[in-house]
Amino acid sequence: MNIARSETKEVEKVDILKRLLSQREFGVFCALVIMVILVTLFSEQGTFMTRSNVINILRSISTNGIIAIGMTFVILTGGIDLSVGSTLALSGAFAAITFNSTGSSELAFCVCLATGLAIGLFNGIMVAYFNVPPFIQTLVAMTAARGITFIVTNGTPIGKVGTFIGFFGRGTIAGIPVPILLMIISFIIGWFILTQTTIGRYTYAIGGSEECSKLSGVNVRRYKTLVYVIAGLTAAIGSLILIARLNSAQPSMGDKFEMDAIAAVVIGGTSLAGGTGTIIGTFIGTLILGVLMNGMNMLGVDSFAQYVVKGGVILFAVLLESRKRNR
């Protein structure tokens, strides 16, 4: 009798989870659960699912998770942003330079965010108003921003970013690291914007059919520009966390971050063709990457082989999405 009740409760939990998540998100969530179970079984007993390791995973994915939020908005419109890693580096460099020049950590904070917003605005204007293909425009911005970063830093790290910025990378609230809290808050805000606001509805509409959106009276140029601004802002927020943790700005930081962000979005079920995807899916995709990398480290997988495994996971996710789209 007790066994039957226990099974009924488990079924009810699964049904509730299915109602909370879409079919796509539920499948990705199941993949995450399976991955956690496998890593737990094959790692040393009790080492993976400890509080310290879970906190370590969440802290390690915080920067990529926040950047992936902005990337989700861009990809939902059918675009791409390859410049987020370089935007992160340049924003951090300007923040460190500002602090070392003025001694104001608060001013450095504002400069960091303003730099990200400016690069995002530039990308958005070029894509939306001058019809430059997103891949080409953001590739140019990626190269230029990285070059400017090396110029302003002379290719060397710039130390110290101040107490105010330092709190975003090294502070804690109620025992929880601030980067984790910042990531969770960012995902909640991103979810709210996508599901409860006009910006979110138009983001999906543009990705579904840009021409139909224009005929429906949507100011496509304005909203396409806005999603790149959001991507630039999230890259700058990610920069705050990274320079705070390192207590310095390094010209090479953020390298390949755009690939990790795109991977998290794609693994989370967002279509590269645009119009389909969710913030919740991106969050789960970010967790999958974090668990995957942490698990491989615990299992002693060669660091070079880890890139191959991660590439295989991304390819598998893309193939699944392509198959669904063809259907």
Side-chain angles (χ1 to χ4, degrees), residues 68-69 71-72 75 260-271 281-282 285-286:
I69 295 170
M71 189 68 75
T72 302
I75 292 179
D260 287 339
I262 294 171
V265 175
V266 172
I267 291 172
T270 297
S271 172
T282 296
T286 305

Side-chain angles (χ1 to χ4, degrees), residues 28-291:
V28 178
F29 180 77
C30 289
L32 173 62
V33 172
I34 293 171
M35 185 177 295
V36 169
I37 293 173
L38 289 175
V39 175
T40 303
L41 290 175
F42 288 101
S43 61
E44 292 184 21
Q45 188 175 7
T47 57
F48 180 75
M49 289 303 293
T50 60
R51 182 182 185 277
S52 60
N53 192 53
V54 171
I55 291 293
N56 181 48
I57 293 173
L58 293 175
R59 185 191 285 115
S60 68
I61 67 172
S62 57
T63 300
N64 184 47
I66 292 173
I67 295 174
I69 295 170
M71 189 68 75
T72 302
F73 278 84
V74 172
I75 292 179
L76 280 173
T77 63
I80 197 77
D81 191 347
L82 301 178
S83 67
V84 289
S86 297
T87 298
L88 180 149
L90 186 57
S91 298
F94 279 155
I97 291 171
T98 301
F99 175 75
N100 284 274
S101 300
T102 66
S104 173
S105 186
E106 291 79 5
L107 179 59
F109 171 86
C110 295
V111 168
C112 183
L113 296 185
T115 302
L117 288 170
I119 296 175
L121 180 62
F122 174 66
N123 283 336
I125 290 174
M126 296 303 293
V127 170
Y129 290 89
F130 291 90
N131 297 319
V132 179
F135 183 89
I136 300 300
Q137 169 54 36
T138 57
L139 180 63
V140 170
M142 176 184 75
T143 306
R146 184 66 67 180
I148 295 172
T149 302
F150 275 96
I151 290 172
V152 299
T153 62
N154 290 319
T156 59
I158 302 177
K160 298 182 181 180
V161 292
T163 305
F164 181 71
I165 290 181
F167 176 73
F168 289 92
R170 302 187 299 273
T172 60
I173 298 177
I176 303 175
V178 171
I180 297 175
L181 294 174
L182 195 58
M183 176 184 68
I184 293 172
I185 292 171
S186 298
F187 269 108
I188 292 173
I189 294 173
W191 171 85
F192 180 82
I193 293 174
L194 264 184
T195 60
Q196 306 297 320
T197 69
T198 302
I199 298 172
R201 289 193 293 273
Y202 287 168
T203 297
Y204 280 109
I206 293 170
S209 175
E210 187 172 325
E211 190 61 33
C212 288
S213 298
K214 289 179 181 178
L215 295 174
S216 299
V218 177
N219 190 331
V220 172
R221 288 179 173 177
R222 177 189 300 170
Y223 287 99
K224 284 183 74 173
T225 301
L226 184 58
V227 298
Y228 284 94
V229 171
I230 293 173
L233 176 61
T234 54
I237 295 173
S239 179
L240 287 173
I241 295 175
L242 201 56
I243 62 176
R245 289 178 62 184
L246 299 173
N247 196 30
S248 67
Q250 301 184 14
S252 61
M253 69 181 187
D255 186 37
K256 303 296 187 298
F257 275 31
E258 59 278 351
M259 295 297 104
D260 287 339
I262 294 171
V265 175
V266 172
I267 291 172
T270 297
S271 172
L272 288 171
T276 304
T278 64
I279 287 293
I280 295 176
T282 296
F283 179 63
I284 299 173
T286 305
L287 286 174
I288 287 177
L289 283 179
V291 170

